[in-house]
Amino acid sequence: MDTPPLILGSTSRYRRELLERLRLPFTVVAPQVDETPAPGETPEALALRLALAKAQAVAAAHPQAIVIGSDQVADLAGEPIGKPGTHERAREQLQRMSGREVVFQTAVAVARADTGFARVLLAPVRVRFRTLGDAEIEHYLRAEQPYDCAGSAKSEALGIALLDAIESDDPTALVGLPLIRTCALLREAGLDPLAA
């Protein structure tokens, strides 16, 4: 039986780089999904809904493929904190998160239209931010420009200096694609990364 093609339904270069670690051939397709939160939607529910919607949207157009979708929402005391987009918004986000715990709700979904398989898992990451001074925040933002990262925190680089602790059972979840859960879902969908 032929191995079905694998597609990453994402425009994130971080997710693409993480998926490359599995040494599986894959292509990238941008999902066309409205990412606007529903009224009253929790960060956890938003991440789960968007990850599944991204996987299913791409799977509908590529029914013979196994499609991975993922989403991450920073959760500050129940409030979703998205990608800042600008320097000013990034500064405001980091000032608000200074000295506090933020849960990065990272969800991954795998969908396969030809078999009807669709499943989503959550990999929450608890992050404790140090108490940050304005000069530290400014130095970090000028060096990293993390305007495309949820919560302005890029832990795989200088952003690690913003933190006191990271708690997670899936070590790549904070970067945006929890690979342990991704592998589990791929196996369920019929693609074992160790047998491909």
Side-chain angles (χ1 to χ4, degrees), residues 44-58:
E44 177 181 332
L46 177 61
L48 287 165
R49 178 176 63 82
L50 291 179
L52 187 58
K54 290 173 183 180
Q56 289 178 321
V58 174

PDB file of all heavy atoms in Angstrom, residues 44-58:
ATOM      1  N   GLU A  44      -8.043  27.941  25.137  1.00  0.00           N
ATOM      2  CA  GLU A  44      -7.917  26.503  24.882  1.00  0.00           C
ATOM      3  C   GLU A  44      -8.866  26.065  23.765  1.00  0.00           C
ATOM      4  O   GLU A  44      -8.474  25.378  22.821  1.00  0.00           O
ATOM      5  CB  GLU A  44      -8.220  25.730  26.164  1.00  0.00           C
ATOM      6  CG  GLU A  44      -8.199  24.235  26.015  1.00  0.00           C
ATOM      7  CD  GLU A  44      -8.536  23.519  27.322  1.00  0.00           C
ATOM      8  OE1 GLU A  44      -8.277  24.060  28.409  1.00  0.00           O
ATOM      9  OE2 GLU A  44      -9.059  22.394  27.234  1.00  0.00           O
ATOM     10  N   ALA A  45     -10.116  26.478  23.866  1.00  0.00           N
ATOM     11  CA  ALA A  45     -11.113  26.109  22.850  1.00  0.00           C
ATOM     12  C   ALA A  45     -10.752  26.714  21.492  1.00  0.00           C
ATOM     13  O   ALA A  45     -10.930  26.059  20.459  1.00  0.00           O
ATOM     14  CB  ALA A  45     -12.505  26.570  23.287  1.00  0.00           C
ATOM     15  N   LEU A  46     -10.254  27.928  21.496  1.00  0.00           N
ATOM     16  CA  LEU A  46      -9.850  28.581  20.245  1.00  0.00           C
ATOM     17  C   LEU A  46      -8.725  27.820  19.564  1.00  0.00           C
ATOM     18  O   LEU A  46      -8.775  27.545  18.357  1.00  0.00           O
ATOM     19  CB  LEU A  46      -9.437  30.028  20.523  1.00  0.00           C
ATOM     20  CG  LEU A  46      -8.909  30.839  19.337  1.00  0.00           C
ATOM     21  CD1 LEU A  46      -9.958  30.963  18.236  1.00  0.00           C
ATOM     22  CD2 LEU A  46      -8.458  32.225  19.822  1.00  0.00           C
ATOM     23  N   ALA A  47      -7.696  27.445  20.324  1.00  0.00           N
ATOM     24  CA  ALA A  47      -6.564  26.711  19.751  1.00  0.00           C
ATOM     25  C   ALA A  47      -7.019  25.371  19.177  1.00  0.00           C
ATOM     26  O   ALA A  47      -6.635  24.997  18.063  1.00  0.00           O
ATOM     27  CB  ALA A  47      -5.478  26.503  20.807  1.00  0.00           C
ATOM     28  N   LEU A  48      -7.860  24.651  19.914  1.00  0.00           N
ATOM     29  CA  LEU A  48      -8.355  23.363  19.442  1.00  0.00           C
ATOM     30  C   LEU A  48      -9.196  23.518  18.172  1.00  0.00           C
ATOM     31  O   LEU A  48      -9.023  22.779  17.202  1.00  0.00           O
ATOM     32  CB  LEU A  48      -9.185  22.681  20.534  1.00  0.00           C
ATOM     33  CG  LEU A  48      -8.402  22.120  21.718  1.00  0.00           C
ATOM     34  CD1 LEU A  48      -9.332  21.814  22.895  1.00  0.00           C
ATOM     35  CD2 LEU A  48      -7.626  20.875  21.310  1.00  0.00           C
ATOM     36  N   ARG A  49     -10.092  24.490  18.181  1.00  0.00           N
ATOM     37  CA  ARG A  49     -10.970  24.703  17.021  1.00  0.00           C
ATOM     38  C   ARG A  49     -10.169  25.075  15.780  1.00  0.00           C
ATOM     39  O   ARG A  49     -10.392  24.545  14.688  1.00  0.00           O
ATOM     40  CB  ARG A  49     -12.001  25.799  17.332  1.00  0.00           C
ATOM     41  CG  ARG A  49     -12.918  26.101  16.132  1.00  0.00           C
ATOM     42  CD  ARG A  49     -13.990  27.115  16.493  1.00  0.00           C
ATOM     43  NE  ARG A  49     -13.490  28.414  16.856  1.00  0.00           N
ATOM     44  CZ  ARG A  49     -13.134  29.371  15.984  1.00  0.00           C
ATOM     45  NH1 ARG A  49     -13.178  29.152  14.685  1.00  0.00           N
ATOM     46  NH2 ARG A  49     -12.714  30.550  16.424  1.00  0.00           N
ATOM     47  N   LEU A  50      -9.214  25.991  15.935  1.00  0.00           N
ATOM     48  CA  LEU A  50      -8.451  26.453  14.778  1.00  0.00           C
ATOM     49  C   LEU A  50      -7.521  25.378  14.230  1.00  0.00           C
ATOM     50  O   LEU A  50      -7.373  25.242  13.009  1.00  0.00           O
ATOM     51  CB  LEU A  50      -7.670  27.719  15.120  1.00  0.00           C
ATOM     52  CG  LEU A  50      -8.517  28.961  15.354  1.00  0.00           C
ATOM     53  CD1 LEU A  50      -7.630  30.149  15.718  1.00  0.00           C
ATOM     54  CD2 LEU A  50      -9.383  29.290  14.144  1.00  0.00           C
ATOM     55  N   ALA A  51      -6.885  24.600  15.104  1.00  0.00           N
ATOM     56  CA  ALA A  51      -6.009  23.524  14.625  1.00  0.00           C
ATOM     57  C   ALA A  51      -6.808  22.532  13.782  1.00  0.00           C
ATOM     58  O   ALA A  51      -6.377  22.144  12.682  1.00  0.00           O
ATOM     59  CB  ALA A  51      -5.341  22.812  15.800  1.00  0.00           C
ATOM     60  N   LEU A  52      -7.977  22.141  14.269  1.00  0.00           N
ATOM     61  CA  LEU A  52      -8.804  21.183  13.537  1.00  0.00           C
ATOM     62  C   LEU A  52      -9.342  21.802  12.245  1.00  0.00           C
ATOM     63  O   LEU A  52      -9.342  21.149  11.192  1.00  0.00           O
ATOM     64  CB  LEU A  52      -9.949  20.692  14.420  1.00  0.00           C
ATOM     65  CG  LEU A  52     -10.796  19.561  13.850  1.00  0.00           C
ATOM     66  CD1 LEU A  52      -9.950  18.333  13.518  1.00  0.00           C
ATOM     67  CD2 LEU A  52     -11.903  19.193  14.836  1.00  0.00           C
ATOM     68  N   ALA A  53      -9.767  23.058  12.311  1.00  0.00           N
ATOM     69  CA  ALA A  53     -10.288  23.722  11.116  1.00  0.00           C
ATOM     70  C   ALA A  53      -9.227  23.827  10.026  1.00  0.00           C
ATOM     71  O   ALA A  53      -9.513  23.629   8.837  1.00  0.00           O
ATOM     72  CB  ALA A  53     -10.816  25.117  11.477  1.00  0.00           C
ATOM     73  N   LYS A  54      -7.990  24.117  10.417  1.00  0.00           N
ATOM     74  CA  LYS A  54      -6.900  24.213   9.435  1.00  0.00           C
ATOM     75  C   LYS A  54      -6.644  22.859   8.773  1.00  0.00           C
ATOM     76  O   LYS A  54      -6.507  22.769   7.551  1.00  0.00           O
ATOM     77  CB  LYS A  54      -5.622  24.732  10.110  1.00  0.00           C
ATOM     78  CG  LYS A  54      -5.695  26.184  10.529  1.00  0.00           C
ATOM     79  CD  LYS A  54      -4.471  26.585  11.334  1.00  0.00           C
ATOM     80  CE  LYS A  54      -4.550  28.009  11.828  1.00  0.00           C
ATOM     81  NZ  LYS A  54      -3.355  28.388  12.618  1.00  0.00           N
ATOM     82  N   ALA A  55      -6.569  21.804   9.578  1.00  0.00           N
ATOM     83  CA  ALA A  55      -6.329  20.470   9.025  1.00  0.00           C
ATOM     84  C   ALA A  55      -7.468  20.051   8.106  1.00  0.00           C
ATOM     85  O   ALA A  55      -7.238  19.541   7.001  1.00  0.00           O
ATOM     86  CB  ALA A  55      -6.137  19.456  10.150  1.00  0.00           C
ATOM     87  N   GLN A  56      -8.702  20.278   8.535  1.00  0.00           N
ATOM     88  CA  GLN A  56      -9.850  19.856   7.731  1.00  0.00           C
ATOM     89  C   GLN A  56      -9.995  20.678   6.458  1.00  0.00           C
ATOM     90  O   GLN A  56     -10.389  20.139   5.422  1.00  0.00           O
ATOM     91  CB  GLN A  56     -11.126  19.907   8.575  1.00  0.00           C
ATOM     92  CG  GLN A  56     -11.145  18.813   9.631  1.00  0.00           C
ATOM     93  CD  GLN A  56     -12.370  18.860  10.520  1.00  0.00           C
ATOM     94  OE1 GLN A  56     -12.839  19.925  10.900  1.00  0.00           O
ATOM     95  NE2 GLN A  56     -12.889  17.688  10.870  1.00  0.00           N
ATOM     96  N   ALA A  57      -9.686  21.970   6.510  1.00  0.00           N
ATOM     97  CA  ALA A  57      -9.794  22.812   5.317  1.00  0.00           C
ATOM     98  C   ALA A  57      -8.837  22.333   4.229  1.00  0.00           C
ATOM     99  O   ALA A  57      -9.207  22.227   3.052  1.00  0.00           O
ATOM    100  CB  ALA A  57      -9.516  24.272   5.672  1.00  0.00           C
ATOM    101  N   VAL A  58      -7.616  22.018   4.604  1.00  0.00           N
ATOM    102  CA  VAL A  58      -6.631  21.547   3.618  1.00  0.00           C
ATOM    103  C   VAL A  58      -6.965  20.117   3.176  1.00  0.00           C
ATOM    104  O   VAL A  58      -6.862  19.784   1.994  1.00  0.00           O
ATOM    105  CB  VAL A  58      -5.196  21.657   4.184  1.00  0.00           C
ATOM    106  CG1 VAL A  58      -4.185  21.036   3.223  1.00  0.00           C
ATOM    107  CG2 VAL A  58      -4.841  23.126   4.443  1.00  0.00           C
TER     108      VAL A  58
END
